[in-house]
Amino acid sequence: MTKIVAIANQKGGVGKTTTAVNLAASLAELGQRVLLADLDPQGNATMGAGIEKRTALPTVYQILLNQVTLRDARMRSGPGHFDVIPANRELAGAEIDLVNLEQRDLRLKVALAQVAADYDFILMDCPPTLNLLTVNAFAAAGSVLIPMQCEYYALEGLTDLVATIKKVKQRLNPAIQIEGLLRVMFDPRSTLAQQVSEQIKRHFGDKVYDTVIPRNVRLAEAPSHGLPVLAYDRQCRGAKAYMELAEEMLKRSQKDMHSGHAAGENTDGQA
């Protein structure tokens, strides 16, 4: 079974793209077949995977407009050993172009269904807004992974995101659930970070990953070289943390499959 995961948080700068690229590379390192769909017009996941976004054609934009198939649009990340559906600035116009089209919320789901059997994991890097691109991702996904910093305003944004997931669940995708909450850019010396971390764990329980992604200079440097951190410095703390996350995700997936998803039926993640 292909696991389709949207990586989302409507707050910008919380490590969504860093997580998307490095989780994709780490899962690939563990022998998984991975596709990363870049749904952000900034195209940062495309660049972070080592693909030049300005010359990357076709992109997810043409897929959503049914101009090309996803099979024809996917590209290979050489340094990451996973496939990519690229994005660039033209995707910003998708909102306007899609608004009058039939099944505008389900176009990505239909496109991904054509290639799902080729992959073990399909990860989607969502834009930092709850727009039509994010709704397409949620309609296609089995679950949502939420990277978040442990700071005061993060909890407020999380409430809005969980409400959106619930709406999508009611109207578009009854199967969607919260995959997990990932604490990123974590500084254990910060009292506030520790307090917010405890609050998140109290509220979301086992939906919170045990793995914590630390603040790490090498992790921040890697995208400017067009590399996942594993290809840039596999011994750094950031690289090791994302490998731990990939291993934890695989274990959880196997556990879910064995339990027939019985444990995951409370799909709103106790929200």
Side-chain angles (χ1 to χ4, degrees):
M1 268 184 65
T2 310
K3 194 168 182 68
I4 304 178
V5 182
I7 298 171
N9 189 327
Q10 76 272 34
K11 193 171 184 297
V14 295
K16 280 188 303 295
T17 300
T18 300
T19 295
V21 171
N22 290 302
L23 179 57
S26 299
L27 286 166
E29 178 83 358
L30 293 172
Q32 301 297 299
R33 301 167 302 155
V34 183
L35 173 67
L36 173 60
D38 189 352
L39 300 180
D40 190 339
Q42 293 179 73
N44 290 338
T46 302
M47 297 287 279
I51 294 166
E52 175 50 63
K53 67 182 176 183
R54 281 178 286 275
T55 54
L57 279 169
T59 69
V60 71
Y61 175 76
Q62 281 82 23
I63 293 167
L64 290 170
L65 295 183
N66 289 346
Q67 293 172 358
V68 295
T69 66
L70 195 148
R71 193 166 263 115
D72 293 332
R74 58 189 170 181
M75 302 175 80
R76 190 71 176 166
S77 166
H81 308 295
F82 55 84
D83 287 349
V84 179
I85 307 165
N88 56 30
R89 286 279 174 208
E90 69 177 358
L91 188 56
E95 192 90 4
I96 297 158
D97 295 333
L98 284 171
V99 85
N100 294 318
L101 298 180
E102 284 181 30
Q103 292 197 306
R104 62 184 185 183
D105 301 330
L106 300 173
R107 289 184 162 241
L108 186 61
K109 181 178 184 175
V110 171
L112 289 175
Q114 297 163 7
V115 300
D118 298 347
Y119 299 102
D120 301 302
F121 284 86
I122 296 175
L123 306 178
M124 297 177 284
D125 184 29
C126 296
T129 49
L130 297 173
N131 62 11
L132 200 46
L133 293 168
T134 305
V135 170
N136 260 271
F138 286 1
S143 57
V144 183
L145 189 159
I146 306 169
M148 59 181 298
Q149 287 176 263
C150 291
E151 55 186 33
Y152 178 70
Y153 290 118
L155 292 170
E156 207 170 284
L158 188 56
T159 308
D160 295 340
L161 182 57
V162 169
T164 300
I165 294 169
K166 282 183 176 175
K167 278 182 199 161
V168 170
K169 187 177 177 61
Q170 287 161 3
R171 297 174 190 173
L172 278 176
N173 181 2
I176 196 169
Q177 61 179 323
I178 291 176
E179 177 70 26
L181 281 86
L182 176 66
R183 291 161 289 169
V184 298
M185 303 182 214
F186 191 77
D187 182 356
R189 295 166 303 180
S190 161
T191 307
L192 178 63
Q194 295 281 11
Q195 287 171 348
V196 174
S197 177
E198 286 307 313
Q199 269 184 283
I200 294 165
K201 281 199 283 190
R202 270 201 306 275
H203 191 72
F204 287 93
D206 60 5
K207 289 284 181 186
V208 182
Y209 286 105
D210 294 332
T211 304
V212 175
I213 310 297
R215 283 196 180 276
N216 181 245
V217 173
R218 305 297 272 172
L219 197 54
E221 288 171 351
S224 65
H225 297 271
L227 295 170
V229 72
L230 266 180
Y232 182 60
D233 181 357
R234 66 186 302 120
Q235 295 305 320
C236 75
R237 285 166 61 231
K240 289 176 179 174
Y242 275 110
M243 280 302 295
E244 278 175 35
L245 175 65
E247 286 164 3
E248 185 176 355
M249 191 180 227
L250 273 177
K251 275 184 199 155
R252 285 185 175 208
S253 298
Q254 285 157 2
K255 190 176 164 188
D256 282 350
M257 280 167 65
H258 290 317
S259 65
H261 299 283
E265 290 307 304
N266 177 16
T267 52
D268 63 5
Q270 306 168 34

